[in-house]
Amino acid sequence: MDPGGPQSAPNFRKPPNPPEARPHGRRPAPAPPTEEHRFPCDNCGADFRFDPEAGRLVCDHCGNEQEIEGPGGPWDNGAIRELDFRDAIENQLPAQEMEETRVLQCPNCGAQVEFSADIHAKECPFCATPVVTDTGTHRHIKPKGVIPFKLDEEAARDAMTTWLGKLWFAPNGLKEYARKGRKLDGIYSPYWTFDADTNTRYSGRRGTYYYVSVPDGKGGTRRERRVRWRPVSGRVSRFFDDVLVLASRSLPKRYTDRLAPWNLSELDAYAPEFLAGFRAEGYTVDLQEGKDEAKEIMEQTIRQDIRRDIGGDLQQITQMHAQLSRVTFKHILLPVWLAAYKYREKSYRFVVNGQTGKVQGERPYSAWKIAFAVLIALILIAGGAYLYSVYGEGGSGQLLPAGGLSLETK
């Protein structure tokens, strides 16, 4: 659903695996030129940036604003076309679907992040490691869609601070340190989405409950539930739309997965202006790996379909063979606010969903707070045991007050 939008901004993504063979009679598409995009203000010449709150380009220097024109009009979301998976694997995508961009790669976490041509040293936004390396170019599949940032940095910081404030056993000052220690980085994270028709053959067993009367050992009987199994086989079919797969390994997947759900109905056709003032991470999970993960996600749903098809009271699946056809995909960018900082010589990272404000991340623990909590728990347990010994079973039920009088409880 893409009519062919403007050329992509300089985002850094791993190129697809080179083909093992190319069909005869087809020449390889020429590599597109390396492009860098700037968006100068037409009023003062300073760089525009995309403002999530305003939903347009703004110039911080003179206050000028400019609408973003998508391929079919402002923020066009009706023109995102899927690409054929087999063509991409065989390196037969049209030249306009590819681009070359300039990258710096972090030597610690491996993230590929966009930098302009004149920058040769920068701190990695994913792990706070200083990056000193030569710039290079990578050829990759262009993004087809983007969810623009909905939260600005202040709103993302508020969400992160609130989340930190709810953490148990966090060191004193952590929230303030994280809030004032450094700015948040707005990063567009790469994802694949996959569509596919699936047809799955299966075999298994259907279990049906029945009841019999058995002796109860007391001269009577009782009902006992048993299961009658019989073999079954069949087929189930399902069309999958936009199965989402993270195309990066820079952050722990357990955190990025928990940023879901994403509202993909807000996906817009890609325009490089959305990246003005932000950076984009390149994909390091290649297309084949992404499709393999998408198939695993699909199979979880297919198993549920098979169990419904088997019916009965219990179901067992002994074999299933899923065939995927008409597999298409697109490369999209989703907005994430990222904070990577060091606390007592150790790095911690937080991620904020730039669409919804959902927060996930790593956190330190305060040893003395944990020890204090354990001590309080032990005191409470000891106190409870003492009160039980006084008032509970076997206790005398008598306490001597300060005046020396005996008070007997009834």
Side-chain angles (χ1 to χ4, degrees), residues 1-7 68-81 142-146 267-274:
M1 298 187 300
D2 183 2
Q7 293 294 310
I68 295 179
E69 295 290 334
W75 290 43
D76 181 6
N77 62 358
I80 305 177
R81 183 174 62 84
K142 293 196 316 188
K144 303 292 286 184
V146 58
L267 198 67
D268 287 285
Y270 176 78
E273 288 86 351
F274 288 122

Side-chain angles (χ1 to χ4, degrees), residues 193-259:
T193 73
F194 292 91
D195 294 359
D197 277 322
T198 63
N199 191 291
T200 305
R201 299 194 314 271
Y202 72 86
S203 59
R205 297 200 303 167
R206 177 191 296 128
T208 305
Y209 293 144
Y210 69 98
Y211 295 86
V212 298
S213 296
V214 297
D216 61 4
K218 299 178 182 180
T221 61
R222 61 179 175 84
R223 295 185 72 203
E224 182 176 273
R225 189 176 73 182
R226 297 180 180 178
V227 180
R228 181 178 292 110
W229 293 98
R230 71 180 186 86
V232 293
S233 62
R235 289 177 179 266
V236 294
S237 298
R238 175 182 282 267
F239 173 74
F240 287 89
D241 181 44
D242 283 347
V243 176
L244 192 64
V245 175
L246 177 66
S248 165
R249 297 189 179 93
S250 302
L251 290 171
K253 196 171 184 299
R254 63 184 183 276
Y255 297 139
T256 52
D257 283 351
R258 292 172 188 168
L259 289 181

Side-chain angles (χ1 to χ4, degrees), residues 7-13 35-37 39 99 101 114 140 143 270-273 275:
Q7 293 294 310
S8 174
N11 312 330
F12 305 103
R13 306 166 183 88
E35 297 192 16
E36 295 180 8
H37 294 269
F39 304 98
E99 67 178 357
T101 52
E114 67 169 78
H140 53 259
Y270 176 78
E273 288 86 351
L275 273 62

